[in-house]
Amino acid sequence: MRLTYAPGPRPSLDACLGKNSELAGLPPLGTPVRGEDVTWRLVQPAAGPGYVLAGDAAAILDPAAGHGVLKALMSGMMAAQTAVQMLTAGESPEPAAAYCAWLTAWFEHDAAHLRKWYSQLTVLVGSELA
């Protein structure tokens, strides 16, 4: 499975709420809040000649899952190990390929668990989430 990311324009609060909402058109009470696109994504390839990506630069899953710091630390350690291997392996693509395979397997494993968990939420709170 290959996930792609195509950034688009950020919708306004009014666009998110809908034109018929009683909140649409209200002025902000303070400094405008900024949001970020946290679409689940995996960069392919996350390593290659001259680069190794780690943390959110390599893969993003649901930040509500609470694994961001762990993923950043683990991928950072693996990226460092991969970088050393790439420097000592010369032109061999094996260290980068091994890192990409590890990162992809980890991402797909966690994404599958999150999908399963979220699918159970619709049973708990009703079909309005579906």
Side-chain angles (χ1 to χ4, degrees), residues 59-77:
I60 294 179
L61 279 172
D62 187 353
H67 296 116
V69 173
L70 174 64
K71 292 194 173 305
L73 291 171
M74 291 296 295
S75 64
M77 290 189 294

Side-chain angles (χ1 to χ4, degrees), residues 2 42-49 51-53 57-58 96-97 99-100 103-104:
R2 184 174 204 167
L42 172 67
V43 175
Q44 291 285 354
Y51 75 96
V52 181
L53 301 177
Y99 177 76
C100 291
L103 190 65
T104 299

Side-chain angles (χ1 to χ4, degrees), residues 76-105:
M77 290 189 294
M78 290 295 287
Q81 179 180 340
T82 300
V84 169
Q85 292 172 346
M86 290 169 70
L87 289 170
T88 58
E91 299 292 320
S92 173
E94 289 179 22
Y99 177 76
C100 291
W102 172 81
L103 190 65
T104 299

